[in-house]
Amino acid sequence: MEHIEHLEHTESPANMKKQIWNTFFVLLVLTVVDIALYFALLSNHSIYKNILFVFLGLVKAFYIVSVFMHMKFERKFLASIIILPMLFICFLIWLALTEAGYTFDSRLF
Amino acid sequence: MSNTATLSTDNKQTWGGGKSPLSISYGKLMMWIFLLSDAFTFSSLLVAYGFVRFTFTTSLPNAIVKPFSHLSHTFTEEMQKAGMFVVERWPSPELVFNHFPFLHGIHLPLMFVSLMTFILIFSSVTMVLAVEAGHRMAKKEVEKYMIWTIIGGAAFLGCQAWEWTNLITEGASLQNNPFGPTAFAALFFIVTGFHGTHVLSGVILNIIIYINVVNGTYEKRGHYEMIEKVGLYWHFVDLVWVFVFTFFYLI
């Protein structure tokens, strides 16, 4: 007698395949945009350039998590369990970069 | 009044036991929690990179540094004569990552890493297609897409091995960096190495899963949820690469 488990899960939409390929296309285009922007802004050293690249990275991350990792179709509560703790990283970034500024000022080389 | 009553019974039904309040199986929830902790680890590594990057000035002007010039033994002295100290300046990615297999000595900035990124994105797509096929219990399709995912992962690892070999041949290591500050090479090897280890374990997991699919283990079990769990891990590896790519190759 084979044992068949009962499994609880959220259903995927009917057009899942289409959504997968759309996401693939978005990721492809964003990567090409990344490379193009890198060469277009080669001699630019402003902090806004870095913010732009991080923003594009976050957009790609959003698409990967929501469609590929199925988060869009899961319960909102699960999404908040996983995403809210990541806000601590924002604090860590602020802390590290502020400290790095002081380290830079006191560099003697 | 009746509304509140319904709500409270609903709540009791959701959290009262006997079923998953998040409509997710135990294994998948634990995979998510593991990925959260792994995300913290990678964030710490990347924040450490950000910290070190911020303690150095901008890279040497591209007009002065010619491609492949750091390979010359007199590079540091030449730059010093021009009034620039190599150890103070963070290297420009386009001058470090400009090699391509079989095209030796040709300046092709960021082309190889773009190829690696596409390979990883593509293997992520085949993985999610395997998950989708698993929902339909289509064994043959799952097998096909798993094979492509394994090939993609192995190809990415091969690319990374090639890139590492190239940089090591040029003199980069944990203690040495011909392009500028030592911390650049050290952080590059640590972070891409940690990511590469994740890809390697992902490929091994994918191979185990593939063997199970071929043996019909999931067919007997009645569902292909194991593909989803390993798929989550595989997409996470792709997700981390997005940020490794952004911080090491673009900024």
mmCIF file of all heavy atoms in Angstrom, chain A residues 78-107:
data_model
loop_
_atom_site.group_PDB
_atom_site.id
_atom_site.type_symbol
_atom_site.label_atom_id
_atom_site.label_comp_id
_atom_site.label_asym_id
_atom_site.label_seq_id
_atom_site.Cartn_x
_atom_site.Cartn_y
_atom_site.Cartn_z
ATOM 1 N N LEU A 78 3.421 35.110 5.010
ATOM 2 C CA LEU A 78 4.712 34.454 4.742
ATOM 3 C C LEU A 78 5.694 35.461 4.151
ATOM 4 O O LEU A 78 6.858 35.522 4.561
ATOM 5 C CB LEU A 78 4.527 33.268 3.784
ATOM 6 C CG LEU A 78 5.820 32.576 3.362
ATOM 7 C CD1 LEU A 78 6.440 31.827 4.523
ATOM 8 C CD2 LEU A 78 5.603 31.651 2.194
ATOM 9 N N ALA A 79 5.184 36.279 3.225
ATOM 10 C CA ALA A 79 6.044 37.287 2.599
ATOM 11 C C ALA A 79 6.611 38.230 3.655
ATOM 12 O O ALA A 79 7.805 38.552 3.628
ATOM 13 C CB ALA A 79 5.252 38.068 1.561
ATOM 14 N N SER A 80 5.772 38.638 4.616
ATOM 15 C CA SER A 80 6.274 39.570 5.634
ATOM 16 C C SER A 80 7.256 38.885 6.579
ATOM 17 O O SER A 80 8.213 39.507 7.023
ATOM 18 C CB SER A 80 5.132 40.216 6.402
ATOM 19 O OG SER A 80 4.214 39.244 6.801
ATOM 20 N N ILE A 81 7.062 37.594 6.857
ATOM 21 C CA ILE A 81 8.006 36.858 7.713
ATOM 22 C C ILE A 81 9.400 36.901 7.093
ATOM 23 O O ILE A 81 10.399 37.056 7.773
ATOM 24 C CB ILE A 81 7.559 35.382 7.880
ATOM 25 C CG1 ILE A 81 6.378 35.276 8.821
ATOM 26 C CG2 ILE A 81 8.708 34.525 8.417
ATOM 27 C CD1 ILE A 81 5.811 33.870 8.922
ATOM 28 N N ILE A 82 9.459 36.765 5.773
ATOM 29 C CA ILE A 82 10.751 36.677 5.104
ATOM 30 C C ILE A 82 11.335 38.058 4.803
ATOM 31 O O ILE A 82 12.531 38.291 4.958
ATOM 32 C CB ILE A 82 10.624 35.858 3.792
ATOM 33 C CG1 ILE A 82 10.078 34.454 4.091
ATOM 34 C CG2 ILE A 82 11.948 35.747 3.046
ATOM 35 C CD1 ILE A 82 10.883 33.646 5.093
ATOM 36 N N ILE A 83 10.467 39.012 4.409
ATOM 37 C CA ILE A 83 10.994 40.288 3.922
ATOM 38 C C ILE A 83 11.267 41.295 5.043
ATOM 39 O O ILE A 83 12.278 41.984 5.023
ATOM 40 C CB ILE A 83 10.065 40.859 2.827
ATOM 41 C CG1 ILE A 83 10.164 39.961 1.582
ATOM 42 C CG2 ILE A 83 10.467 42.275 2.448
ATOM 43 C CD1 ILE A 83 8.967 40.039 0.693
ATOM 44 N N LEU A 84 10.395 41.346 6.050
ATOM 45 C CA LEU A 84 10.597 42.348 7.112
ATOM 46 C C LEU A 84 11.950 42.220 7.833
ATOM 47 O O LEU A 84 12.602 43.230 8.069
ATOM 48 C CB LEU A 84 9.433 42.327 8.106
ATOM 49 C CG LEU A 84 8.100 42.873 7.570
ATOM 50 C CD1 LEU A 84 7.025 42.838 8.652
ATOM 51 C CD2 LEU A 84 8.248 44.290 7.038
ATOM 52 N N PRO A 85 12.405 41.002 8.179
ATOM 53 C CA PRO A 85 13.721 40.930 8.842
ATOM 54 C C PRO A 85 14.863 41.502 8.000
ATOM 55 O O PRO A 85 15.867 41.944 8.541
ATOM 56 C CB PRO A 85 13.925 39.429 9.070
ATOM 57 C CG PRO A 85 12.569 38.865 9.091
ATOM 58 C CD PRO A 85 11.776 39.667 8.122
ATOM 59 N N MET A 86 14.688 41.513 6.667
ATOM 60 C CA MET A 86 15.736 42.056 5.804
ATOM 61 C C MET A 86 15.922 43.563 6.016
ATOM 62 O O MET A 86 16.935 44.125 5.610
ATOM 63 C CB MET A 86 15.421 41.766 4.332
ATOM 64 C CG MET A 86 15.581 40.308 3.928
ATOM 65 S SD MET A 86 17.149 39.588 4.396
ATOM 66 C CE MET A 86 18.271 40.390 3.271
ATOM 67 N N LEU A 87 14.920 44.207 6.645
ATOM 68 C CA LEU A 87 15.046 45.647 6.915
ATOM 69 C C LEU A 87 16.208 45.924 7.871
ATOM 70 O O LEU A 87 16.777 47.013 7.868
ATOM 71 C CB LEU A 87 13.742 46.206 7.482
ATOM 72 C CG LEU A 87 12.557 46.230 6.504
ATOM 73 C CD1 LEU A 87 11.315 46.750 7.197
ATOM 74 C CD2 LEU A 87 12.874 47.076 5.284
ATOM 75 N N PHE A 88 16.574 44.929 8.682
ATOM 76 C CA PHE A 88 17.716 45.097 9.573
ATOM 77 C C PHE A 88 18.981 45.387 8.775
ATOM 78 O O PHE A 88 19.893 46.064 9.262
ATOM 79 C CB PHE A 88 17.936 43.839 10.420
ATOM 80 C CG PHE A 88 16.943 43.684 11.545
ATOM 81 C CD1 PHE A 88 16.021 42.668 11.542
ATOM 82 C CD2 PHE A 88 16.952 44.577 12.605
ATOM 83 C CE1 PHE A 88 15.105 42.531 12.563
ATOM 84 C CE2 PHE A 88 16.047 44.443 13.640
ATOM 85 C CZ PHE A 88 15.115 43.418 13.625
ATOM 86 N N ILE A 89 19.019 44.840 7.550
ATOM 87 C CA ILE A 89 20.190 45.035 6.705
ATOM 88 C C ILE A 89 20.366 46.512 6.347
ATOM 89 O O ILE A 89 21.485 47.013 6.276
ATOM 90 C CB ILE A 89 20.092 44.150 5.437
ATOM 91 C CG1 ILE A 89 20.016 42.668 5.823
ATOM 92 C CG2 ILE A 89 21.265 44.366 4.494
ATOM 93 C CD1 ILE A 89 21.191 42.162 6.647
ATOM 94 N N CYS A 90 19.221 47.215 6.166
ATOM 95 C CA CYS A 90 19.296 48.650 5.874
ATOM 96 C C CYS A 90 20.030 49.364 7.001
ATOM 97 O O CYS A 90 20.875 50.239 6.767
ATOM 98 C CB CYS A 90 17.896 49.244 5.720
ATOM 99 S SG CYS A 90 16.973 48.498 4.395
ATOM 100 N N PHE A 91 19.719 48.978 8.227
ATOM 101 C CA PHE A 91 20.390 49.564 9.393
ATOM 102 C C PHE A 91 21.883 49.248 9.355
ATOM 103 O O PHE A 91 22.722 50.117 9.584
ATOM 104 C CB PHE A 91 19.738 49.025 10.673
ATOM 105 C CG PHE A 91 20.420 49.473 11.935
ATOM 106 C CD1 PHE A 91 20.456 50.820 12.265
ATOM 107 C CD2 PHE A 91 21.028 48.558 12.767
ATOM 108 C CE1 PHE A 91 21.088 51.241 13.427
ATOM 109 C CE2 PHE A 91 21.667 48.965 13.919
ATOM 110 C CZ PHE A 91 21.705 50.314 14.252
ATOM 111 N N LEU A 92 22.205 47.995 9.027
ATOM 112 C CA LEU A 92 23.614 47.574 8.958
ATOM 113 C C LEU A 92 24.363 48.371 7.890
ATOM 114 O O LEU A 92 25.499 48.798 8.105
ATOM 115 C CB LEU A 92 23.692 46.071 8.664
ATOM 116 C CG LEU A 92 25.097 45.460 8.602
ATOM 117 C CD1 LEU A 92 25.784 45.542 9.953
ATOM 118 C CD2 LEU A 92 25.049 44.015 8.149
ATOM 119 N N ILE A 93 23.709 48.586 6.742
ATOM 120 C CA ILE A 93 24.342 49.346 5.655
ATOM 121 C C ILE A 93 24.638 50.775 6.119
ATOM 122 O O ILE A 93 25.750 51.285 5.962
ATOM 123 C CB ILE A 93 23.443 49.353 4.394
ATOM 124 C CG1 ILE A 93 23.360 47.946 3.788
ATOM 125 C CG2 ILE A 93 23.959 50.328 3.355
ATOM 126 C CD1 ILE A 93 22.286 47.783 2.750
ATOM 127 N N TRP A 94 23.626 51.401 6.729
ATOM 128 C CA TRP A 94 23.795 52.774 7.222
ATOM 129 C C TRP A 94 24.946 52.846 8.222
ATOM 130 O O TRP A 94 25.825 53.708 8.139
ATOM 131 C CB TRP A 94 22.481 53.247 7.859
ATOM 132 C CG TRP A 94 22.617 54.555 8.549
ATOM 133 C CD1 TRP A 94 22.704 55.792 7.970
ATOM 134 C CD2 TRP A 94 22.722 54.758 9.961
ATOM 135 N NE1 TRP A 94 22.855 56.741 8.937
ATOM 136 C CE2 TRP A 94 22.867 56.147 10.165
ATOM 137 C CE3 TRP A 94 22.706 53.910 11.067
ATOM 138 C CZ2 TRP A 94 22.992 56.698 11.442
ATOM 139 C CZ3 TRP A 94 22.824 54.458 12.322
ATOM 140 C CH2 TRP A 94 22.966 55.833 12.516
ATOM 141 N N LEU A 95 24.969 51.887 9.156
ATOM 142 C CA LEU A 95 25.996 51.823 10.193
ATOM 143 C C LEU A 95 27.380 51.671 9.576
ATOM 144 O O LEU A 95 28.306 52.422 9.891
ATOM 145 C CB LEU A 95 25.686 50.603 11.064
ATOM 146 C CG LEU A 95 26.209 50.528 12.472
ATOM 147 C CD1 LEU A 95 25.458 51.527 13.329
ATOM 148 C CD2 LEU A 95 25.986 49.132 13.021
ATOM 149 N N ALA A 96 27.517 50.704 8.664
ATOM 150 C CA ALA A 96 28.830 50.388 8.087
ATOM 151 C C ALA A 96 29.338 51.544 7.228
ATOM 152 O O ALA A 96 30.515 51.901 7.299
ATOM 153 C CB ALA A 96 28.742 49.113 7.258
ATOM 154 N N LEU A 97 28.446 52.140 6.434
ATOM 155 C CA LEU A 97 28.911 53.189 5.533
ATOM 156 C C LEU A 97 29.259 54.469 6.290
ATOM 157 O O LEU A 97 30.194 55.176 5.920
ATOM 158 C CB LEU A 97 27.880 53.454 4.427
ATOM 159 C CG LEU A 97 27.648 52.281 3.461
ATOM 160 C CD1 LEU A 97 26.812 52.722 2.283
ATOM 161 C CD2 LEU A 97 28.951 51.663 2.980
ATOM 162 N N THR A 98 28.538 54.774 7.375
ATOM 163 C CA THR A 98 28.888 55.937 8.199
ATOM 164 C C THR A 98 30.271 55.729 8.793
ATOM 165 O O THR A 98 31.141 56.604 8.726
ATOM 166 C CB THR A 98 27.862 56.101 9.345
ATOM 167 O OG1 THR A 98 26.563 56.007 8.801
ATOM 168 C CG2 THR A 98 28.028 57.425 10.049
ATOM 169 N N GLU A 99 30.487 54.544 9.351
ATOM 170 C CA GLU A 99 31.771 54.216 9.964
ATOM 171 C C GLU A 99 32.889 54.250 8.920
ATOM 172 O O GLU A 99 33.986 54.734 9.205
ATOM 173 C CB GLU A 99 31.654 52.824 10.595
ATOM 174 C CG GLU A 99 32.706 52.493 11.619
ATOM 175 C CD GLU A 99 32.757 53.463 12.786
ATOM 176 O OE1 GLU A 99 31.709 54.042 13.132
ATOM 177 O OE2 GLU A 99 33.849 53.662 13.328
ATOM 178 N N ALA A 100 32.570 53.752 7.713
ATOM 179 C CA ALA A 100 33.572 53.741 6.645
ATOM 180 C C ALA A 100 34.005 55.155 6.288
ATOM 181 O O ALA A 100 35.182 55.390 5.995
ATOM 182 C CB ALA A 100 33.019 53.033 5.416
ATOM 183 N N GLY A 101 33.084 56.108 6.358
ATOM 184 C CA GLY A 101 33.412 57.507 6.086
ATOM 185 C C GLY A 101 34.480 58.009 7.047
ATOM 186 O O GLY A 101 35.456 58.660 6.629
ATOM 187 N N TYR A 102 34.332 57.686 8.339
ATOM 188 C CA TYR A 102 35.326 58.102 9.335
ATOM 189 C C TYR A 102 36.660 57.407 9.101
ATOM 190 O O TYR A 102 37.722 58.012 9.244
ATOM 191 C CB TYR A 102 34.824 57.800 10.758
ATOM 192 C CG TYR A 102 33.656 58.665 11.158
ATOM 193 C CD1 TYR A 102 32.408 58.122 11.428
ATOM 194 C CD2 TYR A 102 33.811 60.050 11.265
ATOM 195 C CE1 TYR A 102 31.337 58.917 11.777
ATOM 196 C CE2 TYR A 102 32.738 60.862 11.619
ATOM 197 C CZ TYR A 102 31.507 60.285 11.869
ATOM 198 O OH TYR A 102 30.459 61.064 12.210
ATOM 199 N N THR A 103 36.593 56.098 8.744
ATOM 200 C CA THR A 103 37.836 55.359 8.463
ATOM 201 C C THR A 103 38.567 56.005 7.284
ATOM 202 O O THR A 103 39.786 56.169 7.310
ATOM 203 C CB THR A 103 37.522 53.887 8.156
ATOM 204 O OG1 THR A 103 36.638 53.391 9.146
ATOM 205 C CG2 THR A 103 38.780 53.037 8.137
ATOM 206 N N PHE A 104 37.808 56.395 6.271
ATOM 207 C CA PHE A 104 38.401 57.052 5.097
ATOM 208 C C PHE A 104 39.103 58.343 5.504
ATOM 209 O O PHE A 104 40.228 58.606 5.085
ATOM 210 C CB PHE A 104 37.307 57.330 4.066
ATOM 211 C CG PHE A 104 37.802 58.075 2.870
ATOM 212 C CD1 PHE A 104 38.646 57.458 1.957
ATOM 213 C CD2 PHE A 104 37.436 59.392 2.654
ATOM 214 C CE1 PHE A 104 39.117 58.142 0.846
ATOM 215 C CE2 PHE A 104 37.905 60.084 1.548
ATOM 216 C CZ PHE A 104 38.752 59.455 0.647
ATOM 217 N N ASP A 105 38.428 59.128 6.353
ATOM 218 C CA ASP A 105 39.007 60.407 6.788
ATOM 219 C C ASP A 105 40.300 60.209 7.564
ATOM 220 O O ASP A 105 41.188 61.068 7.535
ATOM 221 C CB ASP A 105 37.997 61.163 7.667
ATOM 222 C CG ASP A 105 36.831 61.678 6.838
ATOM 223 O OD1 ASP A 105 36.998 61.768 5.610
ATOM 224 O OD2 ASP A 105 35.774 61.978 7.419
ATOM 225 N N SER A 106 40.414 59.093 8.278
ATOM 226 C CA SER A 106 41.601 58.888 9.117
ATOM 227 C C SER A 106 42.649 57.999 8.446
ATOM 228 O O SER A 106 43.613 57.602 9.069
ATOM 229 C CB SER A 106 41.192 58.292 10.458
ATOM 230 O OG SER A 106 40.463 57.119 10.233
ATOM 231 N N ARG A 107 42.463 57.702 7.150
ATOM 232 C CA ARG A 107 43.447 56.888 6.417
ATOM 233 C C ARG A 107 44.749 57.654 6.246
ATOM 234 O O ARG A 107 44.748 58.832 5.928
ATOM 235 C CB ARG A 107 42.896 56.528 5.027
ATOM 236 C CG ARG A 107 42.103 55.259 5.022
ATOM 237 C CD ARG A 107 42.720 54.303 4.010
ATOM 238 N NE ARG A 107 41.805 53.205 3.720
ATOM 239 C CZ ARG A 107 41.994 51.979 4.177
ATOM 240 N NH1 ARG A 107 43.032 51.707 4.934
ATOM 241 N NH2 ARG A 107 41.145 51.028 3.868
#
